[in-house]
Amino acid sequence: MNAILKKASEIDRSVWLAFLAHSPQAAIYMHPGFLDVVAPGWQAIELWRDRELLAIMPLYLKQKAGYTYSLQPSFCQYWGILFAGGDLGNAYKTYSHRRKVVKAIVDAVPVEIKWFLHGFAPEFDYPHPFHWAGYTLETRYTYQLELGVGYATIEKNFGNDTRYDIRKALGESCTVRATQDSQGLISLVAANKQHAKRLLSDPDLQTLERLAAFLVTSNLGQLLEVFVNEESLVGAMLVGRYAGKTSYLMSAQSPSLKVSGAMSLLLARAIEDAAVHDRIFDFEGSMIEGIEGFFRGFGGHPVPYLMIEKNDLPLPIRWIRKLR
């Protein structure tokens, strides 16, 4: 096995995309076009055996105060290691292979990285070499919906409060429309900032605008807006679509014109559209109590994933955490 750290410009994107098409861990966050937008100058470790690509792991190396760190950028729920698809026949062979793969990638992480913090996809199930190498593993949870049963069945499993909210929104003349223009979402995020509720930093807001444009024009995502009386924008949402998964990326609602149930109606429409062509709807969390309750109302199930970290920064400068 040969682990190679490559710059984005050195990566064969046709090979990368062919790999992602069969990797169980693949999602929109690892698409090279997505990475170009959210992590300019990204790199990746590729693990090869002869001419066979066995695994990849994106990295986003940055520097501050002379120290190098790799943190996942905004709008990325998971990165971590992605394995090539394929069945090795039994559990022993599968996990013996993954042990070699993960250890080889851990050994290839650049030694100059003093702080590493990445979320790993829920399908990543062999973290042991990270633990052995001194990394810490923290379990977090997302919510996911299995879409194969069809939207009619999914809708029947919505919680009572969620169904009530959707009916109320419809009763107050709320409608949902797909759009190609991100300005509605951008304007809602900006409006929240004016009301002392900052949803994103200014640089992240600019990234969101570029990301929405890329996803929509590449047919890798969807922008939805919810209006009251067909004219007043009260909410907007961006999702990404790739590798059979729809991933909730960002939403915002009007801080001044709030309509009860509008965001529930918006999310229900996103799920309905996703059920047409994808296998999974991933809510991207959340561990926050109020948000967890909102997502739980759509009938998904909690799915664990790992945050893997190694922080070798000197104690006096661990304020670098604030630089994410």
Side-chain angles (χ1 to χ4, degrees), residues 38-75:
V38 302
W42 61 279
Q43 301 178 47
I45 296 172
E46 292 185 345
L47 184 68
W48 292 83
R49 181 173 58 200
D50 298 326
R51 296 185 178 181
E52 181 184 8
L53 182 57
L54 300 178
I56 58 177
M57 185 172 78
L59 295 171
Y60 188 33
L61 273 60
K62 300 181 74 174
Q63 282 197 335
K64 193 70 175 181
Y67 294 93
T68 300
Y69 56 97
S70 180
L71 312 180
Q72 280 183 200
S74 299
F75 309 108

mmCIF file of all heavy atoms in Angstrom, residues 38-75:
data_model
loop_
_atom_site.group_PDB
_atom_site.id
_atom_site.type_symbol
_atom_site.label_atom_id
_atom_site.label_comp_id
_atom_site.label_asym_id
_atom_site.label_seq_id
_atom_site.Cartn_x
_atom_site.Cartn_y
_atom_site.Cartn_z
ATOM 1 N N VAL A 38 -15.871 25.169 -0.546
ATOM 2 C CA VAL A 38 -15.836 25.340 0.911
ATOM 3 C C VAL A 38 -14.433 25.258 1.494
ATOM 4 O O VAL A 38 -14.206 25.719 2.619
ATOM 5 C CB VAL A 38 -16.753 24.319 1.615
ATOM 6 C CG1 VAL A 38 -18.177 24.453 1.113
ATOM 7 C CG2 VAL A 38 -16.244 22.893 1.447
ATOM 8 N N ALA A 39 -13.487 24.682 0.750
ATOM 9 C CA ALA A 39 -12.139 24.484 1.281
ATOM 10 C C ALA A 39 -11.102 24.758 0.203
ATOM 11 O O ALA A 39 -10.395 23.847 -0.239
ATOM 12 C CB ALA A 39 -11.984 23.060 1.819
ATOM 13 N N PRO A 40 -10.990 26.005 -0.277
ATOM 14 C CA PRO A 40 -10.024 26.304 -1.325
ATOM 15 C C PRO A 40 -8.602 25.902 -0.909
ATOM 16 O O PRO A 40 -8.180 26.174 0.197
ATOM 17 C CB PRO A 40 -10.134 27.822 -1.500
ATOM 18 C CG PRO A 40 -11.144 28.305 -0.555
ATOM 19 C CD PRO A 40 -11.720 27.165 0.208
ATOM 20 N N GLY A 41 -7.921 25.196 -1.811
ATOM 21 C CA GLY A 41 -6.589 24.700 -1.497
ATOM 22 C C GLY A 41 -6.599 23.391 -0.739
ATOM 23 O O GLY A 41 -5.577 22.989 -0.165
ATOM 24 N N TRP A 42 -7.735 22.684 -0.750
ATOM 25 C CA TRP A 42 -7.838 21.411 -0.035
ATOM 26 C C TRP A 42 -6.822 20.407 -0.563
ATOM 27 O O TRP A 42 -6.329 20.506 -1.684
ATOM 28 C CB TRP A 42 -9.252 20.850 -0.126
ATOM 29 C CG TRP A 42 -9.750 20.548 -1.512
ATOM 30 C CD1 TRP A 42 -10.271 21.435 -2.407
ATOM 31 C CD2 TRP A 42 -9.761 19.278 -2.167
ATOM 32 N NE1 TRP A 42 -10.615 20.814 -3.570
ATOM 33 C CE2 TRP A 42 -10.319 19.471 -3.459
ATOM 34 C CE3 TRP A 42 -9.380 17.993 -1.799
ATOM 35 C CZ2 TRP A 42 -10.494 18.435 -4.375
ATOM 36 C CZ3 TRP A 42 -9.552 16.957 -2.708
ATOM 37 C CH2 TRP A 42 -10.096 17.189 -3.977
ATOM 38 N N GLN A 43 -6.548 19.430 0.261
ATOM 39 C CA GLN A 43 -5.648 18.336 -0.094
ATOM 40 C C GLN A 43 -6.334 17.019 0.271
ATOM 41 O O GLN A 43 -7.426 17.011 0.851
ATOM 42 C CB GLN A 43 -4.317 18.473 0.639
ATOM 43 C CG GLN A 43 -3.587 19.785 0.353
ATOM 44 C CD GLN A 43 -2.292 19.911 1.121
ATOM 45 O OE1 GLN A 43 -1.485 18.986 1.157
ATOM 46 N NE2 GLN A 43 -2.073 21.062 1.739
ATOM 47 N N ALA A 44 -5.688 15.925 -0.050
ATOM 48 C CA ALA A 44 -6.247 14.625 0.322
ATOM 49 C C ALA A 44 -5.136 13.583 0.364
ATOM 50 O O ALA A 44 -4.173 13.645 -0.410
ATOM 51 C CB ALA A 44 -7.329 14.187 -0.665
ATOM 52 N N ILE A 45 -5.306 12.637 1.277
ATOM 53 C CA ILE A 45 -4.462 11.451 1.284
ATOM 54 C C ILE A 45 -5.162 10.388 0.446
ATOM 55 O O ILE A 45 -6.337 10.082 0.674
ATOM 56 C CB ILE A 45 -4.238 10.931 2.712
ATOM 57 C CG1 ILE A 45 -3.468 11.961 3.536
ATOM 58 C CG2 ILE A 45 -3.484 9.600 2.696
ATOM 59 C CD1 ILE A 45 -3.373 11.611 5.017
ATOM 60 N N GLU A 46 -4.466 9.862 -0.522
ATOM 61 C CA GLU A 46 -4.969 8.735 -1.311
ATOM 62 C C GLU A 46 -4.139 7.506 -0.984
ATOM 63 O O GLU A 46 -2.907 7.581 -0.909
ATOM 64 C CB GLU A 46 -4.875 9.020 -2.811
ATOM 65 C CG GLU A 46 -5.803 10.116 -3.290
ATOM 66 C CD GLU A 46 -5.764 10.283 -4.806
ATOM 67 O OE1 GLU A 46 -4.818 9.757 -5.449
ATOM 68 O OE2 GLU A 46 -6.665 10.942 -5.348
ATOM 69 N N LEU A 47 -4.805 6.368 -0.801
ATOM 70 C CA LEU A 47 -4.116 5.115 -0.503
ATOM 71 C C LEU A 47 -4.290 4.177 -1.692
ATOM 72 O O LEU A 47 -5.419 3.816 -2.050
ATOM 73 C CB LEU A 47 -4.673 4.480 0.765
ATOM 74 C CG LEU A 47 -3.949 3.201 1.213
ATOM 75 C CD1 LEU A 47 -2.536 3.527 1.683
ATOM 76 C CD2 LEU A 47 -4.721 2.498 2.334
ATOM 77 N N TRP A 48 -3.168 3.794 -2.275
ATOM 78 C CA TRP A 48 -3.185 2.959 -3.480
ATOM 79 C C TRP A 48 -2.531 1.611 -3.202
ATOM 80 O O TRP A 48 -1.608 1.499 -2.402
ATOM 81 C CB TRP A 48 -2.414 3.635 -4.612
ATOM 82 C CG TRP A 48 -3.070 4.871 -5.149
ATOM 83 C CD1 TRP A 48 -2.997 6.132 -4.633
ATOM 84 C CD2 TRP A 48 -3.892 4.948 -6.310
ATOM 85 N NE1 TRP A 48 -3.722 6.999 -5.400
ATOM 86 C CE2 TRP A 48 -4.286 6.302 -6.433
ATOM 87 C CE3 TRP A 48 -4.341 4.014 -7.246
ATOM 88 C CZ2 TRP A 48 -5.100 6.737 -7.472
ATOM 89 C CZ3 TRP A 48 -5.149 4.454 -8.278
ATOM 90 C CH2 TRP A 48 -5.522 5.788 -8.387
ATOM 91 N N ARG A 49 -3.017 0.596 -3.901
ATOM 92 C CA ARG A 49 -2.341 -0.694 -3.986
ATOM 93 C C ARG A 49 -2.196 -0.991 -5.469
ATOM 94 O O ARG A 49 -3.180 -1.282 -6.149
ATOM 95 C CB ARG A 49 -3.143 -1.793 -3.293
ATOM 96 C CG ARG A 49 -2.453 -3.168 -3.340
ATOM 97 C CD ARG A 49 -3.203 -4.178 -2.495
ATOM 98 N NE ARG A 49 -4.595 -4.301 -2.942
ATOM 99 C CZ ARG A 49 -5.576 -4.791 -2.178
ATOM 100 N NH1 ARG A 49 -5.326 -5.203 -0.945
ATOM 101 N NH2 ARG A 49 -6.802 -4.870 -2.652
ATOM 102 N N ASP A 50 -0.971 -0.871 -5.950
ATOM 103 C CA ASP A 50 -0.721 -0.920 -7.397
ATOM 104 C C ASP A 50 -1.576 0.152 -8.069
ATOM 105 O O ASP A 50 -1.438 1.327 -7.745
ATOM 106 C CB ASP A 50 -1.001 -2.326 -7.946
ATOM 107 C CG ASP A 50 -0.095 -3.375 -7.319
ATOM 108 O OD1 ASP A 50 1.067 -3.036 -7.021
ATOM 109 O OD2 ASP A 50 -0.544 -4.513 -7.113
ATOM 110 N N ARG A 51 -2.510 -0.217 -8.943
ATOM 111 C CA ARG A 51 -3.350 0.774 -9.615
ATOM 112 C C ARG A 51 -4.760 0.854 -9.032
ATOM 113 O O ARG A 51 -5.653 1.450 -9.620
ATOM 114 C CB ARG A 51 -3.441 0.439 -11.112
ATOM 115 C CG ARG A 51 -2.089 0.528 -11.829
ATOM 116 C CD ARG A 51 -2.267 0.316 -13.318
ATOM 117 N NE ARG A 51 -1.004 0.443 -14.020
ATOM 118 C CZ ARG A 51 -0.861 0.328 -15.342
ATOM 119 N NH1 ARG A 51 -1.937 0.094 -16.086
ATOM 120 N NH2 ARG A 51 0.331 0.456 -15.899
ATOM 121 N N GLU A 52 -4.925 0.290 -7.856
ATOM 122 C CA GLU A 52 -6.239 0.282 -7.223
ATOM 123 C C GLU A 52 -6.283 1.304 -6.097
ATOM 124 O O GLU A 52 -5.467 1.277 -5.168
ATOM 125 C CB GLU A 52 -6.537 -1.109 -6.659
ATOM 126 C CG GLU A 52 -7.892 -1.225 -5.990
ATOM 127 C CD GLU A 52 -8.110 -2.581 -5.350
ATOM 128 O OE1 GLU A 52 -7.146 -3.386 -5.295
ATOM 129 O OE2 GLU A 52 -9.234 -2.837 -4.892
ATOM 130 N N LEU A 53 -7.244 2.225 -6.179
ATOM 131 C CA LEU A 53 -7.433 3.222 -5.125
ATOM 132 C C LEU A 53 -8.276 2.594 -4.016
ATOM 133 O O LEU A 53 -9.425 2.223 -4.219
ATOM 134 C CB LEU A 53 -8.130 4.462 -5.695
ATOM 135 C CG LEU A 53 -8.356 5.633 -4.730
ATOM 136 C CD1 LEU A 53 -7.040 6.119 -4.123
ATOM 137 C CD2 LEU A 53 -9.060 6.786 -5.453
ATOM 138 N N LEU A 54 -7.684 2.476 -2.822
ATOM 139 C CA LEU A 54 -8.328 1.778 -1.718
ATOM 140 C C LEU A 54 -9.092 2.704 -0.785
ATOM 141 O O LEU A 54 -10.106 2.300 -0.208
ATOM 142 C CB LEU A 54 -7.282 1.021 -0.899
ATOM 143 C CG LEU A 54 -6.463 -0.044 -1.632
ATOM 144 C CD1 LEU A 54 -5.437 -0.645 -0.678
ATOM 145 C CD2 LEU A 54 -7.379 -1.127 -2.188
ATOM 146 N N ALA A 55 -8.599 3.918 -0.604
ATOM 147 C CA ALA A 55 -9.242 4.827 0.348
ATOM 148 C C ALA A 55 -8.762 6.249 0.091
ATOM 149 O O ALA A 55 -7.684 6.466 -0.493
ATOM 150 C CB ALA A 55 -8.924 4.422 1.785
ATOM 151 N N ILE A 56 -9.565 7.214 0.553
ATOM 152 C CA ILE A 56 -9.181 8.622 0.469
ATOM 153 C C ILE A 56 -9.574 9.316 1.769
ATOM 154 O O ILE A 56 -10.480 8.878 2.478
ATOM 155 C CB ILE A 56 -9.851 9.338 -0.724
ATOM 156 C CG1 ILE A 56 -11.385 9.245 -0.626
ATOM 157 C CG2 ILE A 56 -9.370 8.767 -2.036
ATOM 158 C CD1 ILE A 56 -12.123 9.980 -1.721
ATOM 159 N N MET A 57 -8.879 10.410 2.084
ATOM 160 C CA MET A 57 -9.258 11.247 3.216
ATOM 161 C C MET A 57 -8.926 12.696 2.903
ATOM 162 O O MET A 57 -7.757 13.064 2.775
ATOM 163 C CB MET A 57 -8.552 10.829 4.509
ATOM 164 C CG MET A 57 -9.054 11.636 5.718
ATOM 165 S SD MET A 57 -8.438 11.054 7.329
ATOM 166 C CE MET A 57 -6.775 11.744 7.311
ATOM 167 N N PRO A 58 -9.945 13.560 2.751
ATOM 168 C CA PRO A 58 -9.686 14.984 2.503
ATOM 169 C C PRO A 58 -9.056 15.658 3.724
ATOM 170 O O PRO A 58 -9.317 15.271 4.871
ATOM 171 C CB PRO A 58 -11.075 15.565 2.221
ATOM 172 C CG PRO A 58 -11.964 14.389 1.988
ATOM 173 C CD PRO A 58 -11.367 13.257 2.756
ATOM 174 N N LEU A 59 -8.253 16.672 3.468
ATOM 175 C CA LEU A 59 -7.656 17.497 4.516
ATOM 176 C C LEU A 59 -7.755 18.962 4.093
ATOM 177 O O LEU A 59 -7.754 19.269 2.896
ATOM 178 C CB LEU A 59 -6.178 17.134 4.731
ATOM 179 C CG LEU A 59 -5.853 15.744 5.267
ATOM 180 C CD1 LEU A 59 -4.350 15.500 5.201
ATOM 181 C CD2 LEU A 59 -6.346 15.585 6.701
ATOM 182 N N TYR A 60 -7.823 19.825 5.070
ATOM 183 C CA TYR A 60 -7.864 21.264 4.796
ATOM 184 C C TYR A 60 -6.850 21.931 5.707
ATOM 185 O O TYR A 60 -7.160 22.340 6.814
ATOM 186 C CB TYR A 60 -9.267 21.803 5.042
ATOM 187 C CG TYR A 60 -9.481 23.230 4.617
ATOM 188 C CD1 TYR A 60 -8.819 23.788 3.517
ATOM 189 C CD2 TYR A 60 -10.382 24.038 5.312
ATOM 190 C CE1 TYR A 60 -9.044 25.083 3.126
ATOM 191 C CE2 TYR A 60 -10.620 25.349 4.925
ATOM 192 C CZ TYR A 60 -9.946 25.870 3.831
ATOM 193 O OH TYR A 60 -10.176 27.175 3.439
ATOM 194 N N LEU A 61 -5.603 21.998 5.237
ATOM 195 C CA LEU A 61 -4.510 22.492 6.052
ATOM 196 C C LEU A 61 -4.446 24.015 6.015
ATOM 197 O O LEU A 61 -4.438 24.629 4.952
ATOM 198 C CB LEU A 61 -3.173 21.913 5.564
ATOM 199 C CG LEU A 61 -2.760 20.554 6.142
ATOM 200 C CD1 LEU A 61 -3.792 19.489 5.810
ATOM 201 C CD2 LEU A 61 -1.396 20.140 5.612
ATOM 202 N N LYS A 62 -4.410 24.607 7.225
ATOM 203 C CA LYS A 62 -4.280 26.043 7.361
ATOM 204 C C LYS A 62 -3.255 26.336 8.453
ATOM 205 O O LYS A 62 -2.893 25.444 9.234
ATOM 206 C CB LYS A 62 -5.632 26.684 7.698
ATOM 207 C CG LYS A 62 -6.701 26.439 6.640
ATOM 208 C CD LYS A 62 -8.003 27.110 6.986
ATOM 209 C CE LYS A 62 -7.939 28.603 6.778
ATOM 210 N NZ LYS A 62 -9.256 29.254 6.990
ATOM 211 N N GLN A 63 -2.819 27.589 8.517
ATOM 212 C CA GLN A 63 -1.819 27.966 9.508
ATOM 213 C C GLN A 63 -2.244 29.216 10.258
ATOM 214 O O GLN A 63 -2.893 30.109 9.704
ATOM 215 C CB GLN A 63 -0.455 28.223 8.850
ATOM 216 C CG GLN A 63 0.302 26.962 8.491
ATOM 217 C CD GLN A 63 1.771 27.246 8.236
ATOM 218 O OE1 GLN A 63 2.152 28.355 7.873
ATOM 219 N NE2 GLN A 63 2.603 26.244 8.420
ATOM 220 N N LYS A 64 -1.898 29.253 11.520
ATOM 221 C CA LYS A 64 -2.089 30.438 12.346
ATOM 222 C C LYS A 64 -1.027 30.433 13.422
ATOM 223 O O LYS A 64 -0.751 29.396 14.033
ATOM 224 C CB LYS A 64 -3.484 30.419 12.995
ATOM 225 C CG LYS A 64 -3.882 31.746 13.609
ATOM 226 C CD LYS A 64 -4.151 32.797 12.539
ATOM 227 C CE LYS A 64 -4.666 34.082 13.163
ATOM 228 N NZ LYS A 64 -4.966 35.107 12.126
ATOM 229 N N ALA A 65 -0.397 31.573 13.610
ATOM 230 C CA ALA A 65 0.639 31.723 14.635
ATOM 231 C C ALA A 65 1.749 30.690 14.478
ATOM 232 O O ALA A 65 2.349 30.258 15.459
ATOM 233 C CB ALA A 65 0.029 31.636 16.031
ATOM 234 N N GLY A 66 2.015 30.284 13.231
ATOM 235 C CA GLY A 66 3.086 29.344 12.967
ATOM 236 C C GLY A 66 2.718 27.896 13.157
ATOM 237 O O GLY A 66 3.568 27.012 13.010
ATOM 238 N N TYR A 67 1.459 27.608 13.473
ATOM 239 C CA TYR A 67 1.010 26.237 13.705
ATOM 240 C C TYR A 67 0.063 25.806 12.592
ATOM 241 O O TYR A 67 -0.811 26.557 12.156
ATOM 242 C CB TYR A 67 0.318 26.108 15.055
ATOM 243 C CG TYR A 67 1.250 26.329 16.223
ATOM 244 C CD1 TYR A 67 1.389 27.590 16.789
ATOM 245 C CD2 TYR A 67 2.009 25.270 16.733
ATOM 246 C CE1 TYR A 67 2.251 27.793 17.865
ATOM 247 C CE2 TYR A 67 2.877 25.466 17.789
ATOM 248 C CZ TYR A 67 2.994 26.729 18.354
ATOM 249 O OH TYR A 67 3.867 26.931 19.405
ATOM 250 N N THR A 68 0.231 24.559 12.156
ATOM 251 C CA THR A 68 -0.614 23.992 11.099
ATOM 252 C C THR A 68 -1.732 23.180 11.728
ATOM 253 O O THR A 68 -1.502 22.422 12.679
ATOM 254 C CB THR A 68 0.221 23.088 10.179
ATOM 255 O OG1 THR A 68 1.273 23.868 9.596
ATOM 256 C CG2 THR A 68 -0.641 22.494 9.067
ATOM 257 N N TYR A 69 -2.942 23.349 11.204
ATOM 258 C CA TYR A 69 -4.077 22.584 11.715
ATOM 259 C C TYR A 69 -4.965 22.172 10.548
ATOM 260 O O TYR A 69 -4.929 22.768 9.467
ATOM 261 C CB TYR A 69 -4.862 23.385 12.755
ATOM 262 C CG TYR A 69 -5.365 24.729 12.309
ATOM 263 C CD1 TYR A 69 -6.670 24.894 11.854
ATOM 264 C CD2 TYR A 69 -4.533 25.854 12.338
ATOM 265 C CE1 TYR A 69 -7.151 26.126 11.455
ATOM 266 C CE2 TYR A 69 -4.999 27.094 11.940
ATOM 267 C CZ TYR A 69 -6.303 27.230 11.499
ATOM 268 O OH TYR A 69 -6.764 28.463 11.088
ATOM 269 N N SER A 70 -5.770 21.136 10.760
ATOM 270 C CA SER A 70 -6.708 20.641 9.749
ATOM 271 C C SER A 70 -8.076 20.461 10.401
ATOM 272 O O SER A 70 -8.278 19.534 11.179
ATOM 273 C CB SER A 70 -6.237 19.315 9.155
ATOM 274 O OG SER A 70 -7.169 18.856 8.186
ATOM 275 N N LEU A 71 -8.967 21.383 10.083
ATOM 276 C CA LEU A 71 -10.337 21.329 10.576
ATOM 277 C C LEU A 71 -11.267 21.241 9.383
ATOM 278 O O LEU A 71 -10.978 21.765 8.314
ATOM 279 C CB LEU A 71 -10.675 22.584 11.379
ATOM 280 C CG LEU A 71 -9.680 23.023 12.449
ATOM 281 C CD1 LEU A 71 -10.182 24.281 13.146
ATOM 282 C CD2 LEU A 71 -9.450 21.913 13.467
ATOM 283 N N GLN A 72 -12.388 20.601 9.584
ATOM 284 C CA GLN A 72 -13.376 20.583 8.515
ATOM 285 C C GLN A 72 -13.932 21.978 8.321
ATOM 286 O O GLN A 72 -14.216 22.678 9.294
ATOM 287 C CB GLN A 72 -14.516 19.618 8.840
ATOM 288 C CG GLN A 72 -14.158 18.190 8.567
ATOM 289 C CD GLN A 72 -15.301 17.228 8.805
ATOM 290 O OE1 GLN A 72 -15.053 16.063 8.967
ATOM 291 N NE2 GLN A 72 -16.528 17.701 8.822
ATOM 292 N N PRO A 73 -14.126 22.390 7.087
ATOM 293 C CA PRO A 73 -14.687 23.719 6.840
ATOM 294 C C PRO A 73 -16.180 23.751 7.129
ATOM 295 O O PRO A 73 -16.824 22.722 7.359
ATOM 296 C CB PRO A 73 -14.413 23.931 5.342
ATOM 297 C CG PRO A 73 -14.378 22.549 4.776
ATOM 298 C CD PRO A 73 -13.792 21.682 5.850
ATOM 299 N N SER A 74 -16.742 24.932 7.110
ATOM 300 C CA SER A 74 -18.179 25.091 7.283
ATOM 301 C C SER A 74 -18.928 24.361 6.179
ATOM 302 O O SER A 74 -18.405 24.168 5.079
ATOM 303 C CB SER A 74 -18.550 26.573 7.260
ATOM 304 O OG SER A 74 -17.909 27.267 8.303
ATOM 305 N N PHE A 75 -20.139 23.936 6.493
ATOM 306 C CA PHE A 75 -21.056 23.247 5.583
ATOM 307 C C PHE A 75 -20.652 21.795 5.323
ATOM 308 O O PHE A 75 -21.194 21.156 4.433
ATOM 309 C CB PHE A 75 -21.215 23.997 4.246
ATOM 310 C CG PHE A 75 -21.546 25.446 4.416
ATOM 311 C CD1 PHE A 75 -20.618 26.432 4.135
ATOM 312 C CD2 PHE A 75 -22.792 25.823 4.897
ATOM 313 C CE1 PHE A 75 -20.923 27.769 4.316
ATOM 314 C CE2 PHE A 75 -23.113 27.161 5.083
ATOM 315 C CZ PHE A 75 -22.166 28.146 4.785
#
